[in-house]
């Protein structure tokens, strides 16, 4: 990295100020950008109404109710997916850290995370040796990419916060590996890593670990070449120490989620023996190879749905890097010879290849099969956040080289022929693509033709139908898409001309480095902000205090009120479950706000739940009906849908304005004894058994256990639920003979403990998704509690991490004080 040169007249007025003033002005500019960009929330009394936050609030309802009633964490959510660990949805962090400060700025979201991101990016670039205005340019170029307003509007808060802390993690790494003050670097790296993992989005953290790993390899290789093994050992050891301390700062959630992942869809399915997501699911939302042109021309593929016509099913918008990223990235590649710069470029390019997913199947399937944890995450296009970060840093290298270049006595324009000429060639290529590409979405004409054919009672292959469909698509979609692409490619060319003009004026010393930098910052800010605003719908900005809970209450329908009034069991011990067919039941959490459902919304549901609820799974019959016997075993009393469901066993009990509530006549109680057992040697056998819609679950159950269990019918047996909170269940049981008890609660082996009269008993996987227990003859008290040891261990490790961070901070403070005292003497 080139050292900062002493200020000259070519630097301009800004660089004649003191370094402190330069940094204060630069940070003030970065502070003002989000403040002004989001005036609706910072000073306008508005807030973002975010879809995913609303879904989260609905799914967290039983958790929040438990906290308010009992004053502690439930650890189990009983209102979604027949029950699931609460820490997948919501859990309070018992370990304090400085991220608690963000709560004071909650009302002005997303300005505060933006400040964290911008200041972190600026600090990183300053540590890397770049000038303040160059660092401002890089900070804006990365932080204003269109992906951020898209995820803010969608409510992906944890993802945005994780991305905001990522530059600080890199800054901590840089301070630790490139500074003599190792203690300061260790402190920053460990705290930043703790904040990063506490943000709660492991996918983003995983991506940036690739960059850290490659930077460490490059740095280590240099030290080994120099035979500086002592330095290599110290740096590596401190990085491992800081990383461990940071990760343990989130051990409360990290250990529990790691434990949960092996039972979720991220851990595969027992039916096919996989240990991760299926490639079909994981590679959904793969970035198209040609679609990567949206990095430069945002609407070359239509922008966001419904105008989008790229290979993904739908999208909320492109990953636009900004027009000015291209020329300076090319300058860096042609003129810089920094090993670190090429690490950033290589990592960004690797992330781009990963983002192609199924569109670059051979490469990505190898990664999916052999790279650790690669198969735990979905939506490959998300890798582009790493591409954006890395390419931004490369562009900053190019800008830094250019400003050093223009200060030479006789800078030669020919030095820029290759990079700028390549930029022009890329523009020409994009221009040709825009003029020649097909603006129809795959299958779009066929879909329209099918609709026309159905209306006209003719074959979709009819030439006239095909002609009408093609004409309709051309007139209603293609012309608008082509116009948007043409406008954006013109815009791209215009910004390249502006950048070229600034480059030329700086070369001719018509502009100082300060003025040229300010010009590039203004152009970048205008470019990125104007494009980003396209993907923030006005409807997501609402009046303040319209919190998700109040919004969900406003969505209550008359059928919801009927169910709420009738959902409790006869003695009021527990609530029955609902199958809400009026919405997409396994992608929508809103019904779970009002009552327990078999569905909900999460990106990592239990694999056994996914197995039985997938299309064609046991919940449905081969004729397209509902497996009411299985729904009854799952304690589902009500199904809501439109009037006229023709299924025997469903009785309409309420007709409302928004639909009909049906009562399942085949419902089973929360806990019941069966007369006999079927033994399955494999999960597949148990799955096949419950796929039979004729099974009477009041009489028989299937268990995945080879041990023979004594079971018999007992007409005198009694089961009474005395306490049910979801995370604690207590029952009084009476039997004259040994039997087998089925509990209509989801089977989750990691943390549930059952005791019979105070002695622990085994919980058996029953009916593929439920719990069952052997019960001897006599009167008993059965108590079940969810208390995973991973959670208590995580809390302990989290406190250890916090203490370690405090000790490092104290050591740094003492060292800093001693050094200052020594220097003053």
């Amino acid at each position: 990295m080139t050292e900062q040169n002493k200020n000259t007249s070519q630097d301009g007025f800004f660089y004649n100020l003191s370094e402190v003033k330069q940094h204060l002005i630069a940070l003030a500019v970065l502070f003002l950008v989000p403040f002004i960009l989001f005036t609706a929330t910072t000073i306008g009394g508005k807030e973002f109404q975010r879809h995913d936050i609303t879904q989260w609030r609905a799914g967290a309802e039983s958790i929040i109710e438990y906290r308010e009633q009992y004053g502690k964490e439930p650890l189990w959510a009983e209102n979604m997916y027949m029950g699931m660990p609460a820490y997948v949805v919501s859990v309070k962090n018992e370990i304090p850290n400085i991220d608690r400060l963000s709560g004071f700025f909650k009302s002005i979201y997303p300005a505060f995370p933006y400040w964290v991101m911008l200041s972190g990016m600026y600090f990183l670039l300053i540590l890397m040796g770049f000038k303040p205005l160059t660092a401002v340019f890089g900070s804006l170029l990365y932080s204003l990419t269109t992906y951020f307003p898209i995820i803010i509007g969608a409510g992906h808060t944890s993802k945005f916060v994780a991305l905001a802390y990522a530059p600080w993690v890199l800054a901590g790494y840089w301070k630790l590996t490139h500074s003599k003050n190792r203690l300061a670097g260790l402190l920053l790296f460990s705290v930043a890593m703790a904040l990063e993992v506490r943000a709660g989005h492991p996918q983003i953290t995983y991506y940036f670990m690739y960059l850290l790993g490659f930077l460490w390899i490059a740095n280590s290789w240099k030290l080994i070449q120099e035979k500086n093994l002592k330095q290599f050992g110290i740096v590596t050891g401190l990085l491992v120490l800081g990383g461990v301390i940071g990760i343990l700062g989130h051990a409360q959630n990290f250990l529990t989620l790691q434990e949960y992942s092996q039972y979720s869809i991220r851990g595969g399915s027992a039916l096919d023996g996989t240990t991760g997501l299926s490639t079909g699911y994981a590679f959904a939302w793969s970035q198209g190879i040609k679609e990567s042109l949206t990095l430069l021309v945002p609407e070359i593929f239509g922008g966001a749905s419904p105008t989008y016509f790229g290979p993904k099913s739908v999208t909320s918008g492109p990953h636009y890097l900004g027009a000015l990223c291209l020329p300076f990235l090319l300058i860096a590649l042609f003129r810089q010879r920094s090993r670190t710069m090429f690490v950033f470029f290589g990592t960004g390019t690797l992330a781009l290849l990963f983002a192609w997913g199924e569109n670059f199947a051979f490469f990505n399937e190898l990664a999916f099969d052999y790279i650790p944890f690669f198969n735990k995450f979905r939506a490959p296009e998300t890798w582009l956040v790493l591409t954006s970060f890395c390419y931004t840093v490369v562009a900053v290298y190019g800008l830094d080289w250019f400003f050093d270049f223009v200060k030479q006595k006789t800078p030669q324009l020919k030095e820029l022929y290759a990079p700028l000429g390549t930029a022009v060639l890329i523009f020409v290529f994009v221009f040709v693509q825009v003029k020649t590409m097909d603006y129809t979405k795959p299958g779009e004409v066929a879909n329209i033709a099918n609709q026309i054919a159905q209306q006209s009672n003719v074959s979709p292959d009819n030439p006239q139908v095909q002609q009408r469909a093609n004409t309709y698509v051309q007139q209603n979609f293609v012309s608008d898409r082509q116009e948007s692409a043409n406008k954006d490619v013109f815009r791209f060319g215009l910004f390249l001309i502006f950048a070229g003009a600034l480059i030329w004026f700086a070369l001719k010393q018509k502009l100082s480095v300060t003025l040229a930098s300010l010009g590039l910052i203004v152009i970048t800010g205008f470019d990125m902000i104007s494009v980003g605003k396209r993907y923030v719908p006005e409807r997501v900005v609402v009046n303040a205090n319209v919190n998700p809970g109040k919004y969900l209450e406003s969505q209550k329908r008359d059928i919801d009120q009927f169910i709420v009034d009738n959902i409790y069991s006869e003695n009021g011990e527990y609530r029955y479950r609902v199958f809400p067919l009026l919405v997409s039941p396994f992608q929508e959490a809103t019904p779970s706000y009002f009552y327990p459902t078999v569905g909900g919304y999460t990106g990592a549901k239990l694999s056994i739940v996914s197995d039985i609820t997938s299309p064609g799974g046991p919940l449905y019959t081969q004729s397209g009906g509902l497996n009411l016997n299985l729904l009854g075993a799952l304690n589902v009393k009500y199904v809501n849908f439109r009037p006229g469901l023709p299924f025997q066993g469903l009785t309409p009990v309420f007709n409302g304005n928004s639909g009909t509530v049906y009562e399942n006549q085949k419902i089973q109680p929360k806990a019941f004894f069966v007369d006999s057992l079927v033994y399955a040697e494999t999960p597949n056998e148990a799955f096949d058994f419950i796929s039979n819609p004729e099974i009477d679950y009041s009489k028989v159950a299937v268990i995945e256990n080879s041990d023979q269990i004594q079971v018999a019918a007992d007409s005198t047996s009694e089961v009474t639920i005395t306490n049910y909170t979801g995370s604690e269940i207590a029952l009084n049981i009476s039997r004259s003979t040994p039997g087998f008890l089925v509990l209509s609660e989801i089977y989750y082996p990691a943390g549930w403990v059952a005791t019979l009269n105070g002695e622990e008993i085994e919980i058996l996987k029953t009916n593929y998704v439920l719990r069952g227990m052997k019960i001897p003859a006599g009167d008993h008290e059965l108590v079940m509690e969810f208390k995973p040891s991973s959670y208590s261990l995580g809390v302990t490790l989290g406190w250890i991490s916090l203490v370690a961070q405090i000790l490092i901070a104290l050591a740094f403070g003492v060292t800093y004080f001693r050094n200052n005292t020594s220097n003053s003497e």
Side-chain angles (χ1 to χ4, degrees):
M1 178 64 231
T2 306
E3 295 288 336
Q4 290 188 20
N5 298 324
K6 293 183 178 180
N7 296 338
T8 66
S9 58
Q10 290 175 265
D11 285 319
F13 65 89
F14 179 83
Y15 289 111
N16 290 324
L17 301 173
S18 67
E19 284 191 10
V20 172
K21 289 181 179 178
Q22 290 177 31
H23 293 317
L24 288 176
I25 292 171
L27 289 171
V29 170
L30 296 178
F31 175 88
L32 284 172
V33 169
F35 188 86
I36 295 172
L37 187 59
F38 298 102
T39 50
T41 60
T42 53
I43 59 176
K46 303 281 188 179
E47 65 182 25
F48 277 86
Q49 182 70 59
R50 294 157 279 162
H51 173 267
D52 278 19
I53 294 298
T54 304
Q55 293 295 302
W56 164 83
R57 179 61 183 83
E61 176 62 12
S62 69
I63 302 169
I64 294 170
E65 287 180 347
Y66 186 99
R67 284 179 190 149
E68 293 174 349
Q69 184 172 354
Y70 299 103
K72 60 180 181 179
E73 285 299 293
L75 300 185
W76 188 261
E78 56 99 7
N79 60 321
M80 285 202 308
Y81 293 115
M82 299 160 286
M84 64 186 300
Y87 36 77
V88 182
V89 183
S90 173
V91 66
K92 285 187 176 180
N93 232 317
E94 296 193 24
I95 317 301
N97 210 307
I98 59 175
D99 54 1
R100 294 277 179 93
L101 297 174
S102 62
F104 294 106
F105 301 94
K106 187 177 180 181
S107 61
I108 60 171
Y109 179 88
F112 182 75
Y114 255 119
W115 293 336
V116 173
M117 179 187 293
L118 286 161
S119 58
M121 195 70 182
Y122 178 80
F123 186 51
L124 169 63
L125 294 174
I126 291 298
L127 283 177
M128 293 177 70
F130 297 112
K131 289 179 176 292
L133 290 181
T134 304
V136 170
F137 171 82
S139 300
L140 292 176
L141 190 62
Y142 170 65
S143 301
L144 295 179
T145 53
T146 55
Y147 188 67
F148 296 127
I150 289 170
I151 61 175
I152 289 168
H156 297 174
T157 305
S158 61
K159 181 185 289 186
F160 184 49
V161 172
L163 286 164
Y165 287 130
W168 285 102
V169 175
L170 270 296
Y173 167 85
W174 200 270
K175 184 73 175 174
L176 184 55
T177 56
H178 291 75
S179 167
K180 293 181 180 179
N181 195 338
R182 306 289 189 201
L183 205 54
L186 177 62
L187 176 63
L188 179 58
F189 183 65
S190 60
V191 172
M193 182 62 75
L195 295 173
E196 172 65 28
V197 294
R198 281 165 66 95
H201 204 286
Q203 185 169 1
I204 296 301
T205 304
Y206 178 76
Y207 291 169
F208 278 87
M209 290 304 101
Y210 277 73
L211 178 57
L212 275 179
F214 289 130
L215 286 172
W216 172 78
I217 290 171
N219 187 59
S220 298
W221 181 248
K222 179 182 177 183
L223 292 174
I224 291 172
Q225 282 184 318
E226 295 171 353
K227 298 183 179 180
N228 195 345
L229 299 182
K230 180 181 178 180
Q231 186 81 343
F232 164 75
I234 292 172
V235 168
T236 302
L238 290 177
L239 281 173
V240 171
L241 177 63
V244 169
I245 291 173
I247 291 172
L248 292 184
H250 192 55
Q252 171 190 332
N253 277 37
F254 177 76
L255 291 182
T256 50
L257 290 174
Q258 178 66 24
E259 182 179 67
Y260 175 81
S261 68
Q262 61 185 309
Y263 303 107
S264 77
I265 56 175
R266 306 299 172 98
S269 170
L271 296 179
D272 53 22
T274 57
T275 57
L277 296 172
S278 67
T279 54
Y281 182 78
F283 287 164
W285 283 279
S286 294
Q287 181 81 352
I289 295 177
K290 189 181 289 188
E291 189 185 8
S292 300
L293 291 174
T294 56
L295 297 172
L296 302 174
V297 183
E299 299 211 352
I300 194 171
F301 275 86
S305 298
T307 57
Y308 171 76
F309 62 97
K312 296 189 283 282
S313 56
V314 293
T315 186
S316 297
H319 291 250
Y320 177 56
L321 299 189
L324 267 59
C325 183
L326 177 65
F328 293 108
L329 181 143
L330 291 171
I331 288 173
L333 294 179
F334 276 97
R335 296 300 171 210
Q336 275 283 14
R337 289 297 174 266
S338 165
R339 183 199 304 255
T340 304
M341 185 272 293
F342 281 108
V343 170
F344 277 97
F345 179 74
T347 305
T349 303
L350 178 65
L352 177 61
L353 300 180
F354 286 156
W356 289 346
E358 64 183 1
N359 299 309
F360 193 32
F362 172 75
F363 179 77
N364 283 298
E365 285 175 1
L366 283 176
F368 191 87
D369 291 336
Y370 295 107
I371 297 180
F373 305 110
F374 194 95
N375 62 357
K376 304 298 182 184
F377 305 108
R378 61 173 182 163
E381 69 163 353
T382 313
W383 278 100
L384 291 176
V385 299
L386 185 57
T387 300
S388 303
F389 184 91
C390 293
Y391 281 7
T392 293
V393 174
V394 176
V396 171
Y397 270 97
L399 182 60
D400 181 72
W401 177 90
F402 173 72
F403 283 139
D404 284 344
F405 173 66
V406 298
K407 289 190 293 184
Q408 295 177 5
K409 290 185 179 179
T410 55
Q412 300 295 317
L413 183 60
K414 65 181 181 179
E415 293 286 326
L416 296 174
Y417 285 170
L420 296 185
T422 304
V424 172
L425 288 176
I426 291 174
F427 171 77
V428 171
F429 172 77
V430 173
F431 180 82
V432 172
Q433 287 294 312
V434 167
K435 295 301 180 183
T436 59
M437 67 187 295
D438 181 8
Y439 286 89
T440 59
K441 189 175 179 66
E444 188 172 46
V445 173
N447 289 335
I448 299 296
N450 285 331
Q451 295 176 27
I452 296 173
Q454 289 177 2
Q455 294 171 359
S456 306
N457 290 322
V458 295
S459 170
D461 297 327
N462 185 294
Q464 292 182 336
V465 169
Q466 289 289 321
Q467 180 62 37
R468 285 178 59 191
N470 189 63
T471 301
Y472 181 87
V473 169
Q474 292 292 324
Q475 293 177 348
N476 290 275
F477 303 124
V478 169
S479 57
D480 291 340
R481 293 166 179 167
Q482 194 166 16
E483 182 181 358
S484 296
N486 277 309
K487 285 181 179 178
D488 270 1
V489 78
F490 174 77
R491 190 177 181 280
F492 175 42
L494 197 61
F495 281 124
L496 288 180
I497 291 172
F498 288 155
L502 286 173
I503 289 172
W504 188 83
F505 281 118
L507 274 173
K508 295 299 180 181
Q509 299 185 2
K510 305 287 186 182
L511 289 176
S512 65
V513 169
T514 293
L515 291 177
S517 298
L518 291 175
L520 293 171
I521 289 169
V522 169
I523 292 172
T524 294
F526 176 79
D527 176 22
M528 305 300 288
I529 291 172
S530 60
V531 173
K533 282 186 172 181
R534 300 177 187 178
Y535 308 106
V536 183
E538 293 183 7
R539 58 180 169 77
V540 303
V541 181
V542 298
N543 292 326
N545 299 319
V546 183
N547 62 48
K550 291 181 179 179
Y551 173 77
L552 287 163
E553 286 290 347
S554 71
Q555 301 301 299
K556 182 185 283 188
R557 304 160 296 185
D558 51 359
I559 59 172
D560 296 322
Q561 188 60 57
F562 172 84
I563 294 173
V564 168
D565 293 339
N566 295 275
I567 196 68
Y568 280 92
S569 61
E570 185 176 337
N571 297 320
E573 310 103 329
Y574 60 88
R575 295 183 296 175
Y576 292 106
R577 296 195 180 97
V578 178
F579 194 19
L581 285 177
L582 279 171
V583 297
S584 179
F586 306 111
Q587 295 295 325
E588 175 67 48
T590 300
S592 302
Y593 178 80
F594 303 108
Y595 35 73
T597 73
V598 292
Y601 176 79
T602 176
K605 54 180 172 282
L606 287 167
S607 62
I608 55 175
V609 172
S610 178
D611 292 338
I612 70 164
T613 60
S614 60
L619 277 188
Y620 311 97
T621 63
Q622 292 183 351
S623 60
L626 297 177
N627 187 341
L628 296 179
N629 283 329
L630 180 56
L631 286 173
L634 301 179
N635 208 219
V636 173
K637 182 176 183 179
Y638 294 118
V639 175
N640 63 37
F641 197 60
R642 295 186 295 272
L645 260 182
F647 300 144
Q648 186 176 1
L650 285 183
T651 303
V653 291
F654 181 77
N655 288 310
N657 297 325
S658 50
T660 299
V661 179
Y662 300 86
E663 184 173 340
N664 183 12
Q665 302 300 317
K666 299 183 179 182
I667 188 171
Q668 303 298 331
K670 179 70 71 175
F672 56 95
F673 284 102
V674 293
D675 300 338
S676 62
L677 292 174
V678 172
Y679 300 93
E681 294 184 2
T682 65
N684 298 74
E685 289 183 12
F687 185 82
D688 292 340
F689 181 86
I690 66 169
S691 298
N692 182 353
E694 303 302 323
I695 298 297
D696 184 352
Y697 291 95
S698 67
K699 298 185 181 300
V700 63
V702 59
I703 62 172
E704 298 172 34
N705 191 304
S706 59
D707 296 336
Q708 296 296 309
I709 299 173
Q710 186 177 351
V711 179
D714 183 0
S715 61
T716 64
S717 66
E718 294 182 0
V719 181
T720 304
I721 294 180
T722 58
N723 180 42
Y724 182 87
T725 66
S727 56
E728 300 104 359
I729 307 171
L731 307 90
N732 285 336
I733 300 171
S734 176
R735 280 194 63 91
S736 60
T737 62
F740 190 84
L741 181 73
V742 177
L743 191 70
S744 294
E745 293 289 296
I746 202 75
Y747 177 78
Y748 183 69
W752 275 103
V753 177
T755 57
L756 191 69
N757 303 325
E759 295 186 7
E760 186 172 341
I761 62 172
E762 185 180 7
I763 301 173
L764 299 173
K765 187 180 179 185
T766 305
N767 293 336
Y768 193 75
V769 292
L770 300 180
R771 306 175 206 167
M773 285 146 284
K774 296 185 292 183
I775 304 295
D779 297 331
H780 311 284
E781 182 186 33
L782 175 65
V783 177
M784 300 189 70
E785 294 181 280
F786 186 62
K787 43 184 183 181
S789 58
S790 57
Y791 181 80
S792 55
L793 175 61
V795 171
T796 301
L797 293 175
W799 281 109
I800 293 173
S801 170
L802 180 62
V803 170
Q805 292 172 52
I806 293 172
L807 290 176
I808 295 171
L810 290 174
F812 169 68
V814 169
T815 304
Y816 183 80
F817 176 77
R818 285 178 177 175
N819 289 341
N820 279 0
T821 302
S822 176
N823 290 337
S824 63
E825 290 175 353

